[in-house]
Amino acid sequence: QVQLVESGGGLVQAGGSLRLSCAASGLTFSTYHMAWFRQAPGKAREYVASIRRGAGNTYYADSVRGRFTISRDNAKNTVYLQMNSLKPEDTAIYYCGAGRRRLYYSDRDRYDYWGQGTQVTVSS
């Protein structure tokens, strides 16, 4: 059974940093593309960042490029999201996803498995 468990969320002041982790089990982690999405209250889930299997190419939404960094440790079956210079508009529940479909990296349907999410709140 595939499980993705996010951690590392919390309350932080604007300009601060957080590091999210997503631990995966029940799958061959190195063969999956991994991604972070987020959902703010009353809004649709939106793409944040992703990292490919293999070469580990990374991609970012324009809103977070230069502030967030996605990385993975295949030995630990874990994907990370380092978030710096946080803004109140980054407040959301952050979800990690795993998938192997041949779809655009920011397409939600690319990812078959999702975690339960971790809350990030940025105060002004």
Side-chain angles (χ1 to χ4, degrees):
Q1 181 179 354
V2 175
Q3 278 195 314
L4 301 177
V5 180
E6 301 96 337
S7 61
L11 173 63
V12 64
Q13 288 188 329
S17 298
L18 283 174
R19 188 195 196 202
L20 305 184
S21 300
C22 171
S25 61
L27 51 74
T28 305
F29 181 78
S30 63
T31 69
Y32 279 78
H33 307 301
M34 301 298 296
W36 289 94
F37 282 68
R38 67 187 181 186
Q39 188 165 15
K43 295 187 177 181
R45 191 174 297 191
E46 66 173 3
Y47 171 80
V48 175
S50 59
I51 184 165
R52 288 175 57 90
R53 62 185 179 185
N57 304 66
T58 57
Y59 307 92
Y60 298 92
D62 289 343
S63 58
V64 307
R65 187 176 292 111
R67 300 187 298 122
F68 290 10
T69 302
I70 188 171
S71 61
R72 66 190 297 162
D73 186 336
N74 289 337
K76 295 183 178 180
N77 289 359
T78 301
V79 62
Y80 304 96
L81 186 68
Q82 177 66 44
M83 306 186 296
N84 299 328
S85 302
L86 282 161
K87 303 175 181 180
E89 51 263 44
D90 294 318
T91 295
I93 299 174
Y94 283 70
Y95 300 90
C96 72
R100 297 191 291 195
R101 301 187 186 193
R102 291 192 174 209
L103 296 172
Y104 199 60
Y105 58 82
S106 60
D107 188 334
R108 282 183 58 182
D109 291 336
R110 177 183 176 97
Y111 306 96
D112 299 301
Y113 304 106
W114 295 93
Q116 292 301 305
T118 185
Q119 175 72 48
V120 172
T121 303
V122 184
S123 63
S124 57

